[in-house]
C-alpha cells in the first residue's frame, strides 16, 4: 500500500524491492527518497541505468509530464564500518552514476549537516533527475552556518576562506576535499601545516557538487576552464582528498590545465577497525595529506622528512637529514589474514650523533645507524649500519670506513 500521506516504507532489506516501490511512487506524481547503505545500493545498478535511459527518452516526448527526481541518500558509508567491515565498504555507486547522461545525473557530497539539509531540500524539490547524496549517519563537526551552507551548496564548490591563508596571493598548494570524512582530514592537515610551516600559503577548496569538476561542455553543472583555474590555479600542486575511488576525480578533470593533481581516496583497504585506522590504511588521513603537500613542494627543501612512529624514533645530536626521507617503525604481517585483522608490529629506529642521511632515504623498522655514519641518497636501509661507515644502495650496505683521509680542510 502506497500511502497518500507519504508513509515511510521500511523494514524491507531488499534494494530491488525498494527501488521498484520508489519508481512506482514517483510515477503517481509524488516525491520520494531511497535511503540505503552505500555499499549495497550497488545491487540496483542496472535498475538505475534503465531509469536514467527512461528519463532521457521521456524528456524528449512533449506529451510526457515532468516527474519527480529519483533521490538516493547513501549512509553507512565506506569510512566508518566499526562492526561490519570490508564487505560494507564500496563507494563505487558514484562511478556508476557519473557515467550516465549528464543532463540526468547529479552527485552531492555535503561536508556537514547543514549542507546535507540544503542538498536534500534541493533534490527533493527537483524533477527529471537522478540525485545521489552521500552522507554519514554519525555525529560530525559543523563547519558552516545554515546561511553559509545554502550559499556554498548553491555554488556547488568554493574556497573556504576561513580555512585558507592565501588571501591576496597565489597559494603554494591547493588542498581540495569532497565528502565529510575527506573534509575533516583535510582541515586537520591544514591545522598541522599552518602550525609547523606557517609561511606556507594554503588554499582550501571544498566540493559539494562533484560534477562541478567536469568542463561545462561535458556537464551543465561543470565549471568553465577560467572558473576552474581561478579555484585550483594552473600550476600549483593540488592535493585532493576524495570520498570514493581516486580514478573518478582523474576522469572528471583530465581535460583541465593543471596536471599537478594528486588524489587520495578509497583503494580497497579495509577491515573491522576504527574509522581513523580506515583512513590511514587508505592513506587519506591528515598525516598522509601533510606528507603529500611537503613532497610536492620542493622549495621546502630538507623539511620534507616523514616519520611514522609506531615505535620510538631516536635522532642524535648534529644530524643532517636530506629532503623526502622516510623513517618507518611500523610493520605488517606477510599473511593477508593477519593484516586484515589489523595486526601490526613496530620496532624502534635509532640514529646516532653526527649522522648524515642523504635525500630520499628510506629507513625501515628496527634499524640502528651508528655515530658518524653517512647514508647515500636514495638508499633503503633494512639492517644496522656500523658507526663511522659510508653506506648506500638498495638494500643499503656498508661500503667502507670513514677515516682521517676523508677530511677536505687543512687544520
Amino acid at each position: 500500500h502506497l500511502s497518500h500521506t507519504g508513509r515511510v516504507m521500511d523494514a524491507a532489506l531488499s534494494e530491488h524491492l525498494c527501488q521498484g516501490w520508489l519508481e512506482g511512487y514517483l510515477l503517481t506524481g509524488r516525491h520520494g527518497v531511497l535511503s540505503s547503505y552505500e555499499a549495497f545500493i550497488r545491487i540496483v545498478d542496472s535498475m538505475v541505468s534503465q531509469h536514467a535511459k527512461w528519463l532521457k527518452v521521456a524528456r524528449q516526448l512533449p506529451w510526457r509530464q515532468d516527474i519527480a527526481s529519483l533521490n538516493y541518500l547513501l549512509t553507512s558509508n565506506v569510512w566508518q564500518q566499526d562492526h561490519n567491515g570490508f564487505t560494507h565498504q564500496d563507494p563505487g555507486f558514484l562511478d556508476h552514476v557519473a557515467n550516465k547522461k549528464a543532463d540526468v545525473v547529479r552527485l552531492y557530497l555535503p561536508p556537514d549537516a547543514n549542507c546535507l539539509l540544503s542538498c536534500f531540500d534541493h533534490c527533493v524539490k527537483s524533477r527529471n533527475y537522478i540525485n545521489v547524496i552521500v552522507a554519514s549517519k554519525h555525529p560530525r563537526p559543523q563547519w558552516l552556518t545554515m546561511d553559509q551552507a545554502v550559499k556554498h551548496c548553491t555554488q556547488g564548490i568554493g574556497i573556504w576562506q576561513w580555512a585558507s591563508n592565501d588571501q591576496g596571493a597565489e597559494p603554494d598548494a591547493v588542498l581540495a576535499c569532497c565528502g565529510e570524512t575527506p573534509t575533516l582530514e583535510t582541515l586537520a592537515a591544514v591545522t598541522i601545516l599552518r602550525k609547523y610551516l606557517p609561511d606556507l600559503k594554503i588554499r582550501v577548496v571544498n566540493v559539494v557538487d562533484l560534477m562541478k569538476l567536469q568542463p561545462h561542455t561535458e556537464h551543465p553543472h561543470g565549471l568553465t576552464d577560467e572558473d576552474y583555474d581561478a579555484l585550483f590555479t594552473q600550476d600549483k600542486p593540488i592535493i585532493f582528498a576524495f570520498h570514493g575511488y581516486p580514478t573518478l576525480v582523474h576522469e572528471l578533470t583530465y581535460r583541465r590545465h593543471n596536471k599537478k593533481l594528486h588524489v587520495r581516496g578509497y583503494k580497497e583497504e579495509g577491515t573491522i577497525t576504527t574509522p581513523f585506522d580506515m583512513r590511514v590504511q587508505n592513506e587519506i588521513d591528515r598525516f598522509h595529506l601533510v606528507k603529500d603537500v611537503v613532497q610536492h613542494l620542493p622549495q621546502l627543501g630538507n623539511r620534507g622528512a616523514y616519520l611514522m612512529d609506531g615505535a620510538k624514533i631516536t635522532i642524535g645530536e648534529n644530524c643532517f637529514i636530506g629532503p623526502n626521507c622516510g623513517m618507518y617503525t611500523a610493520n605488517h604481517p606477510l599473511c593477508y589474514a593477519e593484516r586484515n585483522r589489523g595486526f601490526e608490529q613496530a620496532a624502534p629506529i635509532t640514529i646516532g650523533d653526527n649522522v648524515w642521511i642523504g635525500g630520499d632515504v628510506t629507513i625501515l623498522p628496527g634499524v640502528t645507524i651508528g655515530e658518524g655514519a653517512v647514508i647515500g641518497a636514495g638508499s633503503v636501509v633494512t639492517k644496522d649500519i656500523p658507526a663511522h661507515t659510508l653506506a648506500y644502495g638498495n638494500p643499503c650496505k656498508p661500503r667502507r670506513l670513514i677515516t682521517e683521509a676523508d677530511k677536505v680542510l687543512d687544520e
Side-chain angles (χ1 to χ4, degrees):
H1 172 65
L2 298 179
S3 170
H4 292 284
T5 58
R7 182 165 64 90
V8 174
M9 310 294 287
D10 65 355
L13 192 58
S14 169
E15 286 76 8
H16 289 107
L17 176 61
C18 293
Q19 174 84 14
W21 269 349
L22 182 57
E23 288 191 27
Y25 191 81
L26 298 180
L27 286 172
T28 68
R30 289 172 287 185
H31 298 256
V33 59
L34 169 56
S35 180
S36 172
Y37 277 32
E38 181 183 48
F40 299 121
I41 198 64
R42 303 301 310 270
I43 292 171
V44 298
D45 274 6
S46 61
M47 298 178 75
V48 176
S49 296
Q50 294 306 313
H51 193 79
K53 295 176 187 295
W54 182 83
L55 281 175
K56 176 183 180 297
V57 175
R59 293 175 71 171
Q60 298 169 358
L61 302 175
W63 50 270
R64 271 285 185 189
Q65 295 295 314
D66 290 341
I67 181 174
S69 296
L70 182 61
N71 299 309
Y72 295 94
L73 177 61
L74 306 185
T75 63
S76 191
N77 67 51
V78 62
W79 298 113
Q80 186 152 358
Q81 291 296 334
D82 306 58
H83 58 284
N84 289 317
F86 199 28
T87 57
H88 288 56
Q89 295 160 358
D90 183 356
F93 192 65
L94 292 172
D95 301 68
H96 178 63
V97 175
N99 284 296
K100 304 308 169 188
K101 203 65 179 176
D103 58 356
V104 171
V105 297
R106 305 288 186 265
L107 303 173
Y108 301 101
L109 293 96
D112 64 13
N114 283 342
C115 290
L116 172 60
L117 290 173
S118 178
C119 288
F120 188 84
D121 178 70
H122 167 75
C123 291
V124 80
K125 293 176 180 177
S126 67
R127 294 179 180 272
N128 302 321
Y129 298 130
I130 294 176
N131 296 312
V132 180
I133 303 175
V134 182
S136 173
K137 61 184 180 183
H138 297 278
R140 287 291 184 264
Q142 186 62 55
W143 308 114
L144 305 178
T145 67
M146 196 67 240
D147 289 341
Q148 291 171 334
V150 170
K151 181 179 179 180
H152 182 50
C153 293
T154 301
Q155 294 174 340
I157 189 173
I159 299 172
W160 279 7
Q161 298 288 358
W162 56 270
S164 308
N165 67 341
D166 68 319
Q167 290 82 359
E170 276 280 286
D172 295 307
V174 177
L175 271 70
C177 45
C178 183
E180 50 87 18
T181 292
T183 298
L184 174 64
E185 291 303 311
T186 295
L187 293 175
V190 170
T191 300
I192 295 170
L193 289 166
R194 292 182 65 172
K195 178 178 180 180
Y196 293 102
L197 297 170
D199 295 333
L200 199 63
K201 298 298 182 184
I202 300 168
R203 176 179 297 174
V204 177
V205 176
N206 184 263
V207 181
V208 179
D209 182 348
L210 186 60
M211 307 315 287
K212 288 287 183 179
L213 299 178
Q214 267 197 317
H216 73 290
T217 54
E218 302 290 329
H219 194 283
H221 285 197
L223 296 175
T224 64
D225 283 340
E226 292 76 14
D227 288 339
Y228 183 93
D229 292 343
L231 292 173
F232 293 101
T233 78
Q234 291 192 19
D235 57 0
K236 304 300 181 184
I238 305 169
I239 310 302
F240 200 124
F242 179 51
H243 173 89
Y245 294 108
T247 51
L248 180 54
V249 174
H250 285 291
E251 290 172 5
L252 296 175
T253 60
Y254 79 99
R255 294 181 185 272
R256 298 300 190 179
H257 295 138
N258 192 338
K259 303 303 181 184
K260 296 181 179 180
L261 175 65
H262 312 280
V263 186
R264 293 285 184 180
Y266 183 63
K267 57 179 190 178
E268 289 294 328
E269 294 291 340
T271 183
I272 299 174
T273 186
T274 64
F276 187 73
D277 186 53
M278 268 293 299
R279 302 165 201 170
V280 173
Q281 288 190 34
N282 290 276
E283 300 183 348
I284 195 175
D285 62 282
R286 61 201 67 183
F287 303 113
H288 277 94
L289 297 178
V290 168
K291 180 183 176 183
D292 280 348
V293 171
V294 173
Q295 287 186 333
H296 291 99
L297 290 174
Q299 65 267 34
L300 294 180
N302 290 14
R303 290 178 287 181
Y306 181 78
L307 282 66
M308 182 180 288
D309 58 345
K312 187 175 182 180
I313 297 175
T314 303
I315 300 175
E317 298 290 334
N318 302 314
C319 290
F320 287 20
I321 300 176
N324 300 321
C325 289
M327 303 178 194
Y328 304 92
T329 62
N331 199 4
H332 301 280
L334 294 178
C335 175
Y336 73 87
E338 291 181 329
R339 284 200 307 274
N340 291 344
R341 289 171 57 192
F343 181 70
E344 180 181 286
Q345 293 175 304
I349 292 173
T350 303
I351 299 172
D353 295 340
N354 303 306
V355 170
W356 175 20
I357 300 173
D360 295 292
V361 169
T362 299
I363 303 173
L364 297 185
V367 166
T368 295
I369 299 177
E371 179 181 0
V374 176
I375 310 299
S379 297
V380 178
V381 188
T382 61
K383 296 181 179 180
D384 292 352
I385 303 298
H388 306 293
T389 300
L390 172 64
Y392 54 85
N394 182 6
C396 185
K397 297 180 180 180
R399 305 295 173 169
R400 66 176 179 86
L401 288 174
I402 299 171
T403 67
E404 291 292 319
D406 292 303
K407 288 187 174 180
V408 295
L409 296 178
D410 294 325
E411 297 179 349

